[in-house]
């Protein structure tokens, strides 16, 4: 997949670092502003100033800042030698770009990983008064890969004493050497109080492997978890403790991103609900569920060290089927909206819900909607919805199909709706703008069947090149990107008159975050 050849010689590495540094930090203030006026540029989602971005990495909160590191190639708009880009925010909505955090080196590219705050300085890399921020990541050696080796991915660490502005790589890297698995990457680390150990979950081709450590430097293999007979590639795992909302039962959720056979093709994020004792994750291997049924939510992982104990998550808003071909020029890819995850239990078992974080309300001019309706009818038009949050609620499920049709003056439309016969949500982007860059892009995409629950609800966020649906109080979610020739400015209610009269529709216009 790489387009650049890695070399261990000093001069090419120096040139790579020089290119990387100028790629992000050489932008003038005026150019930064102009970047966010580009066609298709998200206005309230995070996207890089320029160049290629994919997986979110190292999400953590520390001393008033939410940190987002991410896979970044600062010299092109397709995947290349991976660095860790970096941005910080006080609210996960308004972001400040920072210089590249971690560069490739003689051990390889810097692939995905995580960041923890070593509060007790168990690693010895900082002090108790100034605890280190420790990044745990995969070193990917492209030369070893090119030579046909299978041990070219290993786990390493680096630490920061200045709130992530600079990192020092550990002299003893790698801290976990590859045991003979070709795809061995994406470590996610958290502190496990009960065992008084750090625990790590990482992807090992078609399963995850679990390790533990007292000091983040010496690691012990504990166990593995997978689906017997599964041949799909697993990536970006995350193991999260959760208290079930309506029963107070404590469970562990394993998030894992899967490279193929997603509900609507290509890549997506899935999860398992189970138990964890500090060494072994136990769950029914057949109980895999999808976190998001849309085509464009991959590599979703959670923030660590969140002060209010919310489970906050972020994903890469694209799909490997077409991520490198989408029609953007100076930049490629954006992140999903940040989300709060909650676990709910019903007769059908456990289900993970996703909700847009409350901080997104700061994009509204007030709590009162800009457009609200009392009596609805089919064909009712809501204007100036280019950047918007729309909610639709009903006291019962629709009796027939129901949809919100977003459209522009170029006869393009994006439809987000509910199919009564299938009892499922859908997104239709077949006429939503340019799609000739990939035969796998356009289409009508469905969610899984909805659980039997009342009332009926849809919450929709529309940006210039994406839509995110949070259906049935977040129990069913769909994330999709699109590329209209001009933003969708109007929305139309499409449904049976009887259902329309029972709909409560509200629309908030949202402010852009890039000033």
């Amino acid at each position: 997949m790489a387009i650049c050849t890695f070399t261990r010689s000093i001069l090419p590495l120096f040139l790579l670092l020089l290119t990387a540094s100028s790629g992000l930090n050489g932008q003038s203030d005026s150019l930064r502003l102009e970047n966010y006026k580009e066609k298709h540029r998200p206005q309230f989602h995070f996207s890089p100033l320029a160049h290629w971005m994919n997986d979110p990495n190292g999400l953590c909160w520390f001393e008033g800042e939410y940190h987002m590191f991410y896979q970044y190639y600062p010299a092109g708009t397709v995947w290349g030698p991976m660095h860790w880009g970096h941005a910080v925010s006080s609210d996960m909505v308004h972001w400040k770009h920072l210089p590249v955090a971690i560069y490739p080196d003689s051990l390889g590219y810097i692939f995905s990983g995580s960041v923890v705050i070593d509060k007790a300085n168990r690693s010895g890399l900082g002090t108790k008064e100034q605890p280190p921020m420790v990044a745990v990541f995969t070193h990917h050696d492209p030369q070893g890969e090119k030579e046909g080796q299978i041990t070219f991915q290993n786990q390493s660490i680096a630490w920061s004493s200045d709130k992530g502005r600079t990192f020092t790589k550990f002299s003893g890297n790698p801290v976990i050497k590859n045991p003979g698995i070709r795809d061995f990457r994406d470590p996610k680390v958290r502190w496990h109080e009960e065992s008084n150990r750090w625990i790590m979950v990482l992807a090992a081709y078609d399963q995850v492997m679990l390790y533990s450590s007292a000091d983040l430097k010496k690691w012990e293999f504990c166990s593995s978890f997978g689906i017997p007979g599964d041949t799909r590639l697993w990536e970006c795992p995350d193991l999260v403790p959760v208290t079930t909302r309506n029963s107070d039962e404590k469970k562990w959720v394993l998030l894992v991103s899967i490279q193929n056979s997603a509900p609507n093709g290509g890549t997506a994020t899935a999860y398992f609900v189970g138990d964890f004792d500090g060494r072994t994750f136990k769950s029914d291997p057949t109980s895999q569920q999808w976190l998001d049924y849309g085509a464009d939510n991959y590599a979703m992982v959670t923030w660590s060290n969140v002060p209010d104990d919310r489970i906050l998550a972020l994903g890469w808003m694209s799909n490997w089927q077409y991520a490198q071909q989408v029609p953007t020029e100076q930049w490629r890819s954006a992140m999903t909206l940040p989300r709060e995850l909650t676990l709910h239990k019903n007769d059908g078992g456990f289900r993970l819900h996703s909700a847009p974080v409350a901080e997104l309300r700061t994009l509204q001019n007030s709590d009162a909607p800009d457009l609200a309706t009392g009596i609805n009818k089919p064909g009712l038009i809501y204007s100036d919805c280019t950047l918007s949050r729309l909610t639709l609620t009903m006291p019962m499920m629709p009796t027939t199909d129901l949809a919100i049709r977003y459209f522009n003056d170029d006869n393009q439309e994006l439809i987000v709706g509910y199919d009564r016969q299938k009892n499922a949500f859908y997104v239709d982007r077949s006429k939503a703008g340019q799609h000739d860059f990939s035969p796998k892009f356009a289409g009508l995409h469905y969610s899984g069947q909805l659980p039997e629950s009342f009332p009926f609800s849809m919450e929709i966020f529309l940006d210039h090149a994406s839509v995110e649906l949070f259906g049935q109080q977040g129990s069913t979610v769909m994330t999709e990107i699109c590329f209209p020739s001009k933003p969708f400015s109007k929305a139309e209610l499409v449904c049976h008159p009887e259902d329309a009269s029972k709909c409560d529709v509200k629309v908030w216009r949202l402010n852009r975050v890039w000033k």
Side-chain angles (χ1 to χ4, degrees):
M1 188 182 297
I3 61 169
C4 294
T5 302
F6 185 86
T7 175
R8 296 179 184 275
S9 63
I10 295 176
L11 182 58
L13 180 59
F14 169 78
L15 292 175
L16 175 62
L17 300 186
L18 182 62
T19 302
S21 178
S22 63
L24 179 63
N25 305 323
Q27 306 264 0
S28 67
D29 289 341
S30 61
L31 181 55
R32 288 169 184 251
L33 180 63
E34 289 303 314
N35 282 4
Y36 286 93
K37 294 180 180 179
E38 295 165 2
K39 188 176 182 180
H40 306 313
R41 177 69 86 155
Q43 296 301 299
F44 57 87
H45 290 77
F46 179 86
S47 59
L49 278 171
H51 306 122
W52 169 269
M53 177 187 76
N54 56 291
D55 307 352
N57 299 151
L59 303 180
C60 70
W61 181 91
F62 187 53
E63 295 186 357
E65 293 180 325
Y66 289 94
H67 290 260
M68 181 204 308
F69 302 91
Y70 52 89
Q71 292 286 274
Y72 185 55
Y73 178 42
T77 55
V78 294
W79 191 94
M82 285 290 98
H83 303 54
W84 270 25
H86 190 195
V88 293
S89 171
S90 62
D91 60 4
M92 297 175 288
V93 178
H94 302 84
W95 291 95
K96 176 184 178 181
H97 294 282
L98 293 178
V100 169
I102 307 179
Y103 290 93
D105 57 28
S106 62
L107 294 178
Y109 304 157
I110 311 301
F111 270 25
S112 292
S114 53
V115 165
V116 295
I117 309 303
D118 185 10
K119 297 177 182 179
N121 193 36
R122 291 178 172 88
S123 64
L125 298 173
T127 65
K128 289 186 178 180
E129 295 73 26
Q130 191 175 29
M133 177 185 286
V134 181
V136 189
F137 57 90
T138 297
H139 257 128
H140 173 97
D141 177 9
Q143 187 63 33
E145 180 183 23
K146 183 178 179 180
E147 293 171 355
Q149 302 174 16
I150 62 171
T151 57
F152 53 84
Q153 292 183 341
N154 300 275
Q155 316 317 315
S156 294
I157 64 173
W159 78 94
S160 173
S161 299
D162 58 2
K163 298 178 67 173
R165 271 56 177 181
T166 59
F167 279 88
T168 301
K169 290 168 186 162
F170 179 51
S171 60
N173 282 336
V175 295
I176 300 180
K177 293 185 178 180
N178 192 307
I181 301 171
R182 189 180 191 279
D183 295 285
F184 182 71
R185 56 179 176 266
D186 308 341
K188 187 67 161 69
V189 175
R190 73 167 49 248
W191 177 252
H192 186 247
E193 194 68 38
E194 292 78 3
S195 63
N196 199 37
R197 306 270 291 181
W198 295 101
I199 57 170
M200 175 196 294
V201 58
L202 61 82
Y205 183 56
D206 56 359
Q207 61 182 331
V208 298
M209 298 175 68
L210 293 153
Y211 290 79
S212 72
S213 173
D215 62 3
L216 294 169
K217 296 182 287 190
K218 296 179 181 178
W219 292 87
E220 173 193 0
F221 172 73
C222 296
S223 61
S224 59
F225 174 83
I227 302 173
D230 194 8
T231 59
R232 300 171 300 172
L233 180 66
W234 289 20
E235 293 187 303
C236 301
D238 194 352
L239 188 58
V240 188
V242 186
T243 299
T244 308
R245 275 293 172 94
N246 50 350
S247 72
D248 290 332
E249 187 175 356
K250 294 184 178 179
K251 305 297 289 185
W252 285 75
V253 174
L254 173 65
L255 302 177
V256 60
S257 290
I258 299 178
Q259 273 272 8
N260 56 50
S261 302
N264 286 290
T267 53
T269 303
Y271 68 94
F272 301 83
V273 179
D275 301 291
F276 178 67
D277 61 6
R279 296 186 64 85
T280 304
F281 175 73
K282 295 182 179 179
S283 178
D284 179 358
T286 66
S287 67
Q288 178 211 306
Q289 301 183 68
W290 295 104
L291 184 62
D292 192 312
Y293 285 92
D296 298 300
N297 183 357
Y298 194 66
M300 179 162 269
V301 290
T302 63
W303 264 277
S304 68
N305 198 46
V306 176
D308 54 11
D309 295 326
R310 289 186 296 169
I311 300 173
L312 305 175
L314 189 76
W316 174 47
M317 196 161 58
S318 197
N319 189 309
W320 277 115
Q321 288 189 129
Y322 43 73
Q324 299 187 94
Q325 288 81 44
V326 296
T328 58
E329 295 181 3
Q330 301 301 319
W331 59 282
R332 274 211 173 99
S333 299
M335 298 300 182
T336 68
L337 290 177
R339 302 172 185 186
E340 181 176 359
L341 307 182
T342 54
L343 188 65
H344 300 253
K345 186 179 182 180
N346 54 37
D347 293 340
F350 293 95
R351 193 179 185 101
L352 202 57
H353 290 206
S354 301
V357 296
E359 287 86 344
L360 287 162
R361 302 294 174 86
T362 62
L363 298 178
Q364 300 172 183
N365 293 319
S366 69
D367 289 336
D370 299 289
L371 300 169
T373 61
I375 300 176
N376 287 279
K377 59 183 180 180
L380 186 63
I381 303 297
Y382 309 92
S383 60
D384 196 14
C385 297
T386 302
L387 304 173
S388 62
R389 169 183 172 239
L390 182 151
T391 63
L392 185 156
T393 58
M394 295 176 63
M396 59 187 67
M397 302 294 283
T399 57
T400 58
D401 295 351
L402 178 149
I404 297 293
R405 183 178 76 96
Y406 295 98
F407 60 100
N408 60 22
D409 295 334
D410 287 348
N411 295 317
Q412 296 169 344
E413 62 181 21
L414 174 68
I415 303 174
V416 182
Y418 170 73
D419 185 308
R420 179 61 184 170
Q421 184 176 0
K422 292 181 180 291
N423 186 30
F425 289 113
Y426 68 88
V427 176
D428 185 352
R429 63 182 182 188
S430 58
K431 299 178 182 178
Q434 186 175 348
H435 56 77
D436 57 357
F437 53 88
S438 170
K440 297 180 179 180
F441 185 80
L444 176 61
H445 298 156
Y446 287 96
S447 73
Q449 283 198 339
L450 303 189
E452 292 299 326
S453 62
F454 302 94
F456 177 81
S457 70
M458 298 169 65
E459 182 174 14
I460 306 171
F461 285 79
L462 180 72
D463 204 337
H464 279 181
S466 66
V467 66
E468 286 162 277
L469 164 67
F470 300 87
Q472 295 304 82
Q473 296 79 48
S475 66
T476 303
V477 180
M478 298 187 74
T479 303
E480 303 256 342
I481 59 176
C482 57
F483 300 96
S485 57
K486 60 178 65 172
F488 299 113
S489 58
K490 297 178 182 179
E492 177 186 10
L493 177 64
V494 181
C495 65
H496 189 277
E498 182 179 341
D499 286 332
S501 65
K502 298 173 183 177
C503 286
D504 180 15
V505 180
K506 297 181 175 67
V507 181
W508 289 262
R509 299 184 182 109
L510 303 181
N511 296 313
R512 63 192 300 269
V513 300
W514 305 107
K515 303 299 184 183

